[in-house]
Amino acid sequence: MKKYTKPSEKELREKLTQEQYQVTQREATERPFQNEFWNNQGAGIYVDIASGEPLFSSLDQFDAGCGWPSFTQPVEENIQTRTDFKLSMPRTEVRSKHADSHLGHVFNDGSEPTGLRYCINSAALRFIPVAKMAEEGYEEYLKLFE
């Protein structure tokens, strides 16, 4: 079992782009339809850009028409949620479990099988295509794509 941890502040500032840092560490939101994965069609998994912890599978990704990558469920229990009141109404914020990175929000207007829409910032994610999963140490997730 791999251990995922939050990098130090110094490591985060060196590793992440300004946008990735603002999204994951300062709870910013990237622009819709102008982000890396909003329309990604590749097969693979998405991991936390800061810690590498597995978060979502392309098998659970769907086009919600919102301009951000959307998923029906996480690939594992590497997420946590909390209530966010930043827009004067309660929303459910999604964060990575180990690095505590801000990922996005989850809504109850998603697709089957869960009816949930995990609306996630591309800047919080790194996509690992199926062909590179074993090479990058995520071989245990290959079974999802068999």
Side-chain angles (χ1 to χ4, degrees), residues 9-25:
E9 181 70 18
K10 182 178 187 267
E11 291 171 313
L12 287 169
R13 289 200 178 269
E14 290 173 355
K15 176 181 181 178
L16 304 178
T17 66
Q18 182 65 21
E19 182 176 42
Q20 290 167 337
Y21 183 85
Q22 289 300 316
V23 167
T24 61
Q25 307 304 303

Side-chain angles (χ1 to χ4, degrees), residues 25-93:
Q25 307 304 303
R26 299 291 180 253
E27 301 171 4
T29 300
E30 66 195 359
R31 296 174 61 100
F33 302 104
Q34 296 177 23
N35 57 75
E36 189 173 4
F37 302 123
W38 77 271
N39 195 24
N40 185 30
Q41 302 295 313
I45 61 169
Y46 294 88
V47 302
D48 182 316
I49 193 74
S51 67
E53 60 197 282
L55 300 169
F56 299 98
S57 163
S58 62
L59 297 171
D60 299 311
Q61 189 169 0
F62 69 101
D63 181 4
C66 63
W68 291 280
S70 298
F71 306 89
T72 57
Q73 61 193 351
V75 73
E76 250 187 45
E77 292 301 317
N78 284 333
I79 63 160
Q80 55 192 358
T81 60
R82 68 181 186 198
T83 304
D84 166 1
F85 291 96
K86 288 187 180 147
L87 295 181
S88 302
M89 61 182 204
R91 297 183 302 168
T92 304
E93 179 188 9

Side-chain angles (χ1 to χ4, degrees), residues 5 11 24 28 42 44 50-51 76 91 93 95 106 108-109 115 119 123 125 130 136:
T5 59
E11 291 171 313
T24 61
S51 67
E76 250 187 45
R91 297 183 302 168
E93 179 188 9
R95 300 185 75 84
V106 62
N108 291 320
D109 61 358
C119 184
L125 303 172
V130 170
E136 295 206 25

